[in-house]
Amino acid sequence: MFQLVTTAAAFITLLVVMGSASHDHYWLTLFLAIPAAGLLVRLFIIQHDCGHGSFFKSRGANDYLGRALSVLTLTPYGSWSQGHAAHHASTGNLDRRGRGDVETWTVEEYQASGSLKKLFYRLYRNPLVMVILGAPINFIVLQRLPLGHGLRDRKSRRSILALNFALLVAFSLSFSLIGVRPVVVTYLPVMVIASWIGNWLFYVQHQFESTGWERDADWSFHEAALSGSSYFKLPAVLQWFSGNIGLHHVHHLCSRIPNYHLQACLDSAPELNRVAKVITLRESLGCWRLALWDERRRLLVGFRDLKSRVA
């Protein structure tokens, strides 16, 4: 409760200040959008924990809070939680890709594809497309639409449509009380920056050179959790804003551990430091060039590495 109250109170306070400054001091609004986005990421991690049933002991409390936070994160609680559960159940499994993860091709799949498919995949894996453009479009637009599994699954579809209705009510009320312009110019930059941060965090947690992928016959949940998830070692301030989610190998090993206990779990089991890939903030920038799983070399490689592979 302390984590929830302090994070939500700080977030709402910043929004009020940003909204007030948006009329005459918009530079201040944009400046404060950065810490506000960090707090929104932290609220998203709380919603994420609710989806795992770990934030509270009560399942009902988790679901109520998760749905309430979805109005701030613009992320349908039920639909996203289903997809994320599928992600946990199939991380690192080459034969079960496609839901809740970053689309990743093998080298052989890429080489066997036509020129147009290769072009689309290269564009998709480009950070300018995936992060700068793709992340805000995904959170603001695509998550409003019941596509794919969200269209086929009744519960997922209902979750998306219910959130859309809640957002319609919440923003209509905000527009009528505060005005369209102050609400849009305040919340939009926060949402965009938060989506960039969230996308970047999720990408680095699984897309690194020595990550692990296996075919279904050789795949193991616990081995995939440790070999396919990184320990993104962030400075203390950034670890706080990201809700300890950088300790991703611990989280994948047991998703019922709430974010506020992840560090204590790692401290009590130092052997987890030895089996996980530790990635620093600077090293994370190099992960963006990686795009293809090389089954022969058992490495995630970049497009430029294909030439040396042939040689």
Side-chain angles (χ1 to χ4, degrees), residues 34-56:
I34 299 173
L39 290 168
L40 184 57
V41 169
R42 188 167 165 84
L43 289 173
F44 183 89
I45 297 302
I46 295 175
Q47 178 183 332
H48 156 272
D49 280 5
C50 290
H52 282 298
S54 65
F55 193 73
F56 292 122

Side-chain angles (χ1 to χ4, degrees), residues 240-256:
W240 184 88
F241 275 109
S242 60
N244 299 314
I245 200 63
L247 284 67
H248 215 59
H249 60 308
V250 183
H251 170 62
H252 265 262
L253 200 58
C254 181
S255 62
R256 294 303 299 273

Side-chain angles (χ1 to χ4, degrees), residues 13 47 56 58 153 183 186 188-189 195 209 244 257 266 278 284 297:
T13 300
Q47 178 183 332
F56 292 122
S58 165
D153 184 81
V183 172
T186 296
L188 184 59
S195 71
E209 187 176 48
N244 299 314
I257 301 171
L266 181 61
V278 177
S284 70
R297 297 166 59 193

